Amino acid sequence: MQAIKELSAIVGDPISYARKLKEQSGKKIIGYMCTYAPEEIIQAAGAHPLRLFGSNKNIFLADGHLQAYCCSLVRGVLEDALSGDLNFLDGMIFPHTCDTVQRLSDIWRLNISYGFHLDVVLPVKLDTKSSRDYMVDVQNRFRNDLEKALQVTITDDDIKKSIALYNEIRGGLKKVYELKNKNPEVISGKDLSALVRAAMIMDRNDYLRILLNVIAELETKGSTIKSTGKRRLIISGGICSQPDIYSVIENAGGVVVGDDLCTGSRYFEGSIKTAGNPIAAIAERYWQRPVCPAKHLDKNARAENLIKIAQDGKAAGVIFMLLKFCDPHAFDYPYLKESLAAVSIPSLLLEVEDQPQAQGQLQTRIEAFLETLS
Amino acid sequence: MAEKDPAKEKRKIKSVKKMKDIMTNYYIDAKMAEQNGKKVAWITSGGPVEPLIAMDVIPIYPENHGAMIGASKMGIDLCQKAEVMGYSSDLCSYARSDISCATVNGGPIGGLPKPDMLVCCNNICGTVLKWYEVQARYFNVPLFILDTPFCHTQFLPEARKYVHRQIEEYIVFLENACKKKMDHDRMKEVGRLSVEGQRLWQAVLDTAMNKPAPLSAFDAFFHLALIVTLRGTKQAVDYYEGLLAEMRERIADNIGAVENEKYRLLWDNLPVWYRTKWLSDKFAAADTCLVADTYTSAWCGTLKYIDENNFIESMAEAYTRIYLNIGVDEMARDVVSMIDKYSADGLVMHSNRSCKPYSFGQLDIQRIVREKRGLPSLMIEADMVDERFFSESQIETRIDAFMEVVKERKSCTR
Ligand code: SF4
Ligand code: SF4
Ligand code: SF4
């Protein structure tokens, strides 16, 4: 698919894309790292929200600030920042989630001189009235802070327009996932992963146009391509830092039909209400979408959601892809695995190290797992 | 019978026995709670214990238990058990050892008494949230989370309001769990005792300003237990009064924790529980006393925010602005002021792979201390409970090299 090829190039080098976007559009670029970043408000301010994933270059400068037992995502992003690769950023925002990002925010504030720095100290609980009121307060403060930092006024109308755009993007991605679920052959896992990531990197209006074209194409294609009998799988974890995994799975005779990832369903699930106060509506989505392990909703919420994803996808098994040194996800793994086992869904754990693992070794493990599936 | 070295005997802190007795009785009482019709709450080390005391609930600290597991060198076994359960070896070793211990009733005291409720305050880390979720599923008991928004640079008004509301919710939670109303007069009294206990604990730590320091950080690690577990009780107040008197006596008699104290260092991060004696001996052999630390002072560090006549109201701020819930720059300011206060010649940092919120940022604090005070520092890579991450020969070499630098520097500046 031509459109996807273009996206893959952008996803492969988001920094060059963002630099160019800034040059051409004059837009301010605001970095963020997590699906709890209120990007709708950044978009409403006329700025461009750019999700950072950290490049794979060798860690050298970040070693002076973070010990080796820090997740590679945070080390990678800090390396990019210290090396100046991110010096085009006009600002960086830090929604509060895990302990590692919490400290990254401090280290960034003390060591990175370019761009403004904003903390968004979200509640950790999302299940009580007081925490929800606080969430609304936090979003209101963020709006004010951003207005000051960018010297703009963000009107309710701006926010509503942005919400509409995001609802369309999220709805579109959900649609693509549905098509994939119905007929896994319609789009490869690798392409789908690029499509989701591009949503966090590209100019959102440009992106929506491409997304709509992709959907139209997939819809016509879907009726002509025959689906094969590959083993249907779900991936669960934080961000998927190894897009190659999809090809490995496909080569091993499996196919990913859904996920529980921040670069997947956790990004697009849940639409924002268009009626009423727009800030309150943005806040509300955070407790309605699937929860991430760094937040508390219900002690069983994640297992219930994962089982539902697996059952909706008629999946034969789940592959956990956990980034080494990521505490929130590592804590949830045993219970998620057990909850799946209780409803007879087998799972496989892949712990992802800093360095991309040898494809061969990964493929062998996945093949062995697929063989155990009935 | 071997002769006891009188000089060594003189330096032993007498209160140690009393502390051991109190802690033993505390755990016996806790284990009999069910028979005695008392409720047990598990609570995080930074959590608001005072309302529990006021409600006659026995507070149990899995982190204190973790420290006991570490000190009795049972960490590896329990951590490995957790790994078999699927918990990564990169997770906090307190959490790992407690989670597996609950399923086997192992450890130095045969497991903790079962909780009737769980109280988790995330002012120390996000790990406790996950850990308490695990235990809430395992024991199937109610969980209260006190969410204290992180103060990177300030404690914002909306955060204050949020924490206030949660303190009210906490009391309602306890009233429901205990099926009785909170006695607010009793609560006031407990608040007063808590403040008094914290002041005494600070006064005990302050005695280390004296040269030679009558107690070391290694002693503080031990005597800390009560201010953590029984804060808000008369027992803690009495104990620290006795300890303070003993420290003052030692100062009067010129008894130091280290025989021939020449160098004074500050410790950062949790203790290496299974090696406190080894480390203490190692430094003492170099005429060095670790006179203070950032860890034990965390239990009295927010006194400045507490209004003893309005304890419940001021709790929100005091519990939110504790040492681990503030930005790295504010922590560095605290470290520098402790260096000044205790006349430290250097800094020893335990880079503790278990505790990310305490350890990430240490490298920046190290740099700030160097810039502000020109002091040398040593970074020890270890873990507080899991001995597999302690390399004795490597650490020994590094301590020796570091002490050379400290000595060199001191002889120059003299
Ligand atoms: S796992 Fe949670 S904290 Fe990490 S990126 Fe996803 S949403 Fe953010
Ligand atoms: S949630 Fe995990 S992967 Fe994401 S920044 Fe935190 S530790 Fe790293
Ligand atoms: S050691 Fe650190 S991570 Fe573990 S419970 Fe204590 S504060 Fe949390």
Side-chain angles (χ1 to χ4, degrees), chain B residues 43 45-54 59 61 185-203 224 226-241 296-312 314-316 318-319 322:
Chain B
I43 181 168
S45 68
V49 63
E50 293 85 355
L52 292 176
I53 306 270
Y61 290 80
D185 290 331
R186 174 92 204 279
M187 182 62 229
K188 276 198 189 112
E189 177 60 10
V190 171
R192 207 188 50 71
L193 288 168
S194 167
V195 174
E196 205 178 331
Q198 293 180 58
R199 280 204 188 111
L200 284 162
W201 177 238
Q202 182 69 66
L224 170 75
L226 282 196
I227 198 67
V228 180
T229 52
L230 293 172
R231 191 167 66 245
T233 64
K234 182 86 174 43
Q235 199 173 25
V237 169
D238 292 346
Y239 176 76
Y240 289 117
E241 267 171 357
T296 55
S297 52
W299 279 272
C300 47
T302 57
L303 269 171
K304 56 186 176 229
Y305 303 121
I306 302 182
D307 174 359
E308 108 186 82
N309 299 316
N310 202 351
F311 189 80
I312 282 278
S314 57
M315 250 167 87
Y319 276 101
I322 74 162

Side-chain angles (χ1 to χ4, degrees), chain A residues 62-71 94 96-97 99-103 105-107 109-111 117 119 121-125 127-134 137-138 141 292-300 302 324-335 337-338 349 351, chain B residues 85-92 95 99 122 125-127 129-131 133-134 136-137 140-141 143-147 149-150 152-154 156-159 161-162 165-166 169 323-329 331 351-364 367-368 379 381:
Chain A
D63 270 339
H65 302 271
L66 287 166
Q67 292 92 325
Y69 45 88
C70 168
C71 76
F94 293 89
H96 187 270
T97 52
D99 293 338
T100 305
V101 162
Q102 166 183 304
R103 287 302 177 208
S105 164
D106 289 337
I107 292 169
R109 182 164 49 78
L110 297 176
N111 294 283
H117 171 285
D119 287 308
V121 190
L122 303 171
V124 167
K125 297 195 276 195
D127 62 340
T128 60
K129 175 81 170 65
S130 60
S131 62
R132 291 173 177 184
D133 290 348
Y134 174 65
D137 289 345
V138 169
R141 175 175 294 274
C292 115
K295 301 274 167 230
H296 176 83
L297 195 58
D298 174 277
K299 63 185 186 223
N300 294 312
R302 284 203 68 217
K324 192 157 170 60
F325 303 119
C326 172
D327 290 356
H329 280 282
F331 265 114
D332 270 2
Y333 164 69
Y335 117 84
K337 174 197 159 77
E338 260 173 48
L349 170 66
E351 198 180 55
Chain B
M85 292 165 77
Y87 293 95
S88 157
S89 61
D90 301 322
L91 293 170
C92 166
I99 289 170
N122 62 2
C125 63
T127 282
L129 172 73
K130 303 311 295 174
W131 175 2
E133 283 177 349
V134 170
R137 284 190 292 265
N140 197 24
V141 291
L143 164 65
F144 184 81
I145 299 164
L146 182 71
D147 179 11
F150 194 81
H152 286 284
T153 53
Q154 50 189 330
L156 293 163
E158 61 272 23
K161 191 170 82 188
Y162 174 37
R165 283 179 70 182
Q166 291 177 81
E169 291 161 15
Y323 188 69
L324 276 184
N325 211 42
I326 54 177
V328 166
D329 36 349
M331 289 166 89
S351 167
N352 179 359
R353 72 195 300 288
S354 261
C355 191
K356 296 181 172 77
Y358 214 148
S359 303
F360 296 160
Q362 275 179 321
L363 288 155
D364 281 80
R367 172 182 54 79
I368 293 169
M379 189 78 85
E381 295 285 342

Side-chain angles (χ1 to χ4, degrees), chain B residues 237-378:
Chain B
V237 169
D238 292 346
Y239 176 76
Y240 289 117
E241 267 171 357
L243 184 61
L244 181 60
E246 187 181 349
M247 290 305 131
R248 290 194 169 143
E249 223 168 278
R250 284 164 75 93
I251 290 178
D253 299 342
N254 205 32
I255 300 173
V258 166
E259 187 175 8
N260 187 18
E261 179 195 295
K262 283 200 196 121
Y263 310 102
R264 299 162 63 87
L265 300 174
L266 186 74
W267 175 275
D268 179 59
N269 211 307
L270 278 80
V272 183
W273 287 114
Y274 46 89
R275 283 305 170 95
T276 45
K277 177 146 188 341
W278 184 85
L279 282 164
S280 157
D281 290 349
K282 181 79 204 145
F283 282 106
D287 299 333
T288 303
C289 183
L290 282 127
V291 289
D293 69 282
T294 56
Y295 173 66
T296 55
S297 52
W299 279 272
C300 47
T302 57
L303 269 171
K304 56 186 176 229
Y305 303 121
I306 302 182
D307 174 359
E308 108 186 82
N309 299 316
N310 202 351
F311 189 80
I312 282 278
E313 279 287 307
S314 57
M315 250 167 87
E317 181 151 14
Y319 276 101
T320 306
R321 302 183 78 167
I322 74 162
Y323 188 69
L324 276 184
N325 211 42
I326 54 177
V328 166
D329 36 349
E330 197 179 338
M331 289 166 89
R333 276 198 293 279
D334 283 357
V335 169
V336 170
S337 74
M338 285 181 81
I339 283 175
D340 294 346
K341 177 172 174 184
Y342 294 98
S343 332
D345 305 307
L347 176 63
V348 181
M349 303 186 109
H350 170 201
S351 167
N352 179 359
R353 72 195 300 288
S354 261
C355 191
K356 296 181 172 77
Y358 214 148
S359 303
F360 296 160
Q362 275 179 321
L363 288 155
D364 281 80
I365 294 176
Q366 193 175 31
R367 172 182 54 79
I368 293 169
V369 166
R370 196 171 51 235
E371 286 166 7
K372 292 245 150 71
R373 291 295 177 267
L375 287 186
S377 54
L378 167 69

